[in-house]
Amino acid sequence: MVRSGSDDGHVVLRVEPVLSRFQQNLLVHLAPESKSFPVRFRFLSGPRTEPIAPQVDRQMENRASGPELVLVFSGKRKSGKDYITDVIQDRLGPEVCAVLRLSGPLKQQYAQERGLDLNQLLGSGPYKERYRADMIRWGEDRRNCDPGFFCRLATRGAQQPVWVVSDARRQSDLQWFRSEFPRQTRSVRVQCSEETRRQRGWSFTPGVDDAESECGLDRGVEFDWTIRNEADAPSLDQQLQPILTAAQDAAVLRHDQ
């Protein structure tokens, strides 16, 4: 769209026949307030070229649809990560909170390449355990080539103001979210004793429990919140309160935009 003068004292705006909301608003601001200065709109046909305004409009839409808070959870097997993140979603509601599992797209890609049953890989039975070590090695190879590969797949299509990543396992997972969403990202560690984990069905498996997928975030990370998920810890409601408050504030921020 170009603003120019004409011989009869009018202002001529070259406007494409189809206008985005951004362009419509821009027309309003370009129109003079004085009634003594007329504005005439001339719609010109011809080859369509990509204007700058729609690009700006798309960027504004992408920022508006991004998260206001990203909670990246990590913890050992059988520490209760999935249970706690499901509780958070139940408290906030699915329209506010999306639970994103990095293992979902990983298992989907692995199942496709290996010709395996995805539903059983997503479960907690012996079928998944049979392939776990190989799946870990396969996932590491993918991450070495592209550290954000599974993070991008997991977040695709999420529109809620609060994202809860339930299963970060490596430094590269946390680094990707901190790089992409530096203002919004907070880290949460779920901890419990080995005895409590054994009571929940855990036993040490070589090649799994000593791999980076289980130990990558054990050291070198200063977590924003730590939750002790066992019987002698403070109540889960009490430990989750500051996290839920931050999430509710994020939902209000999105609503006010």
Side-chain angles (χ1 to χ4, degrees):
M1 179 167 53
V2 178
R3 178 177 177 172
S4 62
S6 66
D7 294 338
D8 56 5
H10 290 74
V11 172
V12 177
L13 299 178
R14 296 165 55 98
V15 184
E16 291 190 358
V18 179
L19 303 178
S20 69
R21 178 168 297 179
F22 181 95
Q23 291 169 309
Q24 294 170 15
N25 292 335
L26 189 57
L27 286 177
V28 173
H29 291 293
L30 282 174
E33 296 179 359
S34 173
K35 294 183 179 179
S36 63
F37 187 62
V39 176
R40 185 177 69 215
F41 298 96
R42 180 184 299 167
F43 290 86
L44 303 176
S45 60
R48 179 182 176 87
T49 58
E50 184 68 14
I52 295 176
Q55 294 177 354
V56 176
D57 199 23
R58 281 195 294 270
Q59 291 171 0
M60 292 172 66
E61 290 173 358
N62 289 340
R63 285 196 296 268
S65 62
E68 297 298 336
L69 179 66
V70 181
L71 297 169
V72 181
F73 278 76
S74 66
K76 297 290 192 179
R77 288 198 299 144
K78 299 298 182 180
S79 63
K81 301 184 298 295
D82 287 339
Y83 172 75
I84 290 174
T85 53
D86 285 344
V87 167
I88 291 174
Q89 187 182 49
D90 288 342
R91 300 285 176 84
L92 297 174
E95 70 284 352
V96 170
C97 174
V99 175
L100 310 177
R101 293 185 167 88
L102 303 183
S103 61
L106 184 153
K107 291 174 182 177
Q108 184 176 28
Q109 292 289 122
Y110 178 78
Q112 288 177 354
E113 292 192 14
R114 296 290 198 271
L116 301 175
D117 187 324
L118 175 60
N119 289 331
Q120 292 199 61
L121 283 179
L122 291 172
S124 57
Y127 186 90
K128 180 178 72 174
E129 297 304 322
R130 188 188 317 162
Y131 295 102
R132 181 187 288 273
D134 182 64
M135 185 164 54
I136 289 172
R137 288 190 295 270
W138 175 88
E140 293 300 332
D141 290 341
R142 280 300 182 94
R143 284 186 174 90
N144 289 335
C145 295
D146 181 0
F149 180 77
F150 298 112
C151 298
R152 288 194 300 274
L153 289 178
T155 58
R156 183 178 298 170
Q159 298 293 323
Q160 292 89 330
V162 179
W163 294 0
V164 175
V165 182
S166 68
D167 56 352
R169 296 179 180 278
R170 299 159 183 82
Q171 293 277 354
S172 61
D173 295 336
L174 183 55
Q175 289 168 0
W176 186 87
F177 283 100
R178 285 177 170 173
S179 174
E180 293 294 315
F181 309 102
R183 174 182 62 82
Q184 302 97 317
T185 298
R186 302 290 183 272
S187 58
V188 188
R189 184 70 169 180
V190 180
Q191 294 182 340
C192 65
S193 66
E194 287 192 358
E195 179 59 31
T196 297
R197 294 167 64 202
R198 289 191 188 94
Q199 293 173 3
R200 296 171 182 165
W202 172 80
S203 62
F204 182 85
T205 303
V208 173
D209 291 290
D210 52 2
E212 185 185 2
S213 60
E214 284 297 308
C215 306
L217 292 172
D218 286 359
R219 298 179 182 84
V221 179
E222 185 174 344
F223 296 101
D224 294 286
W225 290 290
T226 298
I227 295 175
R228 290 185 58 232
N229 185 27
E230 43 193 332
D232 63 349
S235 70
L236 191 56
D237 284 343
Q238 180 180 343
Q239 295 187 75
L240 287 180
Q241 190 55 53
I243 298 175
L244 292 172
T245 298
Q248 290 161 355
D249 290 345
V252 170
L253 182 61
R254 167 68 65 82
H255 182 268
D256 291 342
Q257 287 181 349

